[in-house]
Structure formats: C-alpha cells, structure tokens
Amino acid sequence: MSAPAGWYTDDQGATRWWDGSRWDGEAPTPVTSGESPSVPEGTSANTVWVWLIVLLPVLSAIAAIGYLVQMQQGMFDMLAVVPLDGSSSLDVERFIAAEINAFLTPWYLVLTLSGWTIYGLSVWFAALDARELAGRGFSRPFPWAWTFLSSLVYVIGRHVVVRRRGGRGSTPLIVMIAIQVVFLLAASVWASVFAAQLFETVFSMVTMRRM
C-alpha cells in the first residue's frame, strides 16, 4: 500500500514531496561539507562597502601629490644652498634647514595620517562588506582579515569567491586595478620628469663651477 501524499525523506536522505505514487521532481544535489552552496545566478555582490574600499586610495593619492610637489621644490632649494664657488664652504645649518623643509612638510603629516586612516577604514569596511555578502546568501565569504595585508588582496579574493558562488560583481576589481595602473603610470612619469630636472640643475651647477 502506497503512503499518502506528503513530505518524506527519500533514499538519499533528502526531504521531497511524495504525491502518493511517486516522488515529485528530482532529488536535490546534496552539499558536501567541503562545498558552499551557490547563490541564485546573477546575484549582485556590489556593496557600498567594497566601493569605498576601492575608492579610498584616491584620497591618499591626493595627499601624496601635495607631498611630492613640496618635496620636489625643497630638493631644489637644497641644491641652491650648495655653493657654486669651489673656494667657499657649505653652510651646513642652511643645508640642514633646507633638507628638513624638503621632507618634513605639513603634507608629510597629512600623507601619514591619511594613510593610516585609510588603512583602518579599509579593514572596517571589509568586515562590513563580508557581513553584507553573507546576508545576501554568499556563505563563507572571503575573509575580511586579508585586508590587513592589502585591500587589493581582499578585493581579488572576494571576486574569486563571489564568482565561484555564482554571483556577479567584477566591476570593483576592474576599477581598483585601473586605479592602481594609473597611479603607477603617473608615478613613473613624475619620477622621470623630476630626475631629468634634477640632472639638468646639477649639470648647470657643475658647468658654472668650472667656468
């Protein structure tokens, strides 16, 4: 005699609907202990927290630009203290003062404080991001503690886990990599221009000394 319709446990240990004569639908694929269930296809993983992590380095770049501009001018001021006449000696006090003004500028304090602040905020935002991902169904999201190593490491690992769970959200990683590339190119151009200007200044000083 067949059992009446209802919810029963089948031979695989899964709970399924029995319509009185047969099982309704296919048995769900059991999730092993080493796997994490996927989210519905196309579930967005873009949170406000990950975007804050991606864009925070821009603030640090602004502080870095201010510091580099003042440092560049300060280094030229240091060279100006160097006597062109070989018979005169270097004014050590003026040179040390120029050196301090070149490197220990207000922008240095801004750069240092902003760097540590952005670092702390990135870790905090990563923890909030991981919690929101879990709330959206992403079980066992990428550990936010990796942000202590680097925010880029967290965003990359997060992207891998999200894609494995079936979610979508590649844009934050693409934007962050693009920002890093722009920073690298800008730093390379600045270093090249500064080195050329510094070489030209030193060459002019040596030429004048020989005259």
Side-chain angles (χ1 to χ4, degrees), residues 27-80:
T29 302
V31 178
T32 62
S33 58
E35 299 177 349
S36 297
S38 299
V39 298
E41 186 69 27
T43 300
S44 176
N46 291 337
T47 68
V48 64
W49 309 115
V50 72
W51 279 114
L52 288 173
I53 294 172
V54 169
L55 298 177
L56 274 176
V58 176
L59 299 179
S60 182
I62 295 174
I65 292 173
Y67 173 69
L68 290 175
V69 169
Q70 284 202 349
M71 184 193 71
Q72 180 177 354
Q73 182 59 46
M75 292 190 68
F76 286 120
D77 292 340
M78 289 171 56
L79 291 176

Side-chain angles (χ1 to χ4, degrees), residues 89-144:
S89 60
L90 174 66
D91 189 336
V92 178
E93 292 185 359
R94 287 184 59 195
F95 184 82
I96 293 177
E99 185 178 15
I100 293 175
N101 291 332
F103 296 101
L104 298 181
T105 66
W107 276 108
Y108 175 78
L109 179 61
V110 173
L111 179 62
T112 302
L113 292 178
S114 64
W116 283 107
T117 301
I118 290 172
Y119 178 77
L121 288 175
S122 296
V123 173
W124 182 35
F125 292 156
L128 295 175
D129 176 66
R131 185 174 67 178
E132 184 165 340
L133 286 178
R136 295 186 183 186
F138 293 91
S139 63
R140 294 194 300 174
F142 189 71
W144 60 267

Side-chain angles (χ1 to χ4, degrees), residues 53 147 149-157 173 176-177 180:
I53 294 172
T147 317
L149 181 62
S150 168
S151 58
L152 181 59
V153 171
Y154 172 75
V155 174
I156 293 175
L173 176 60
M176 191 167 198
I177 292 177
Q180 299 291 330

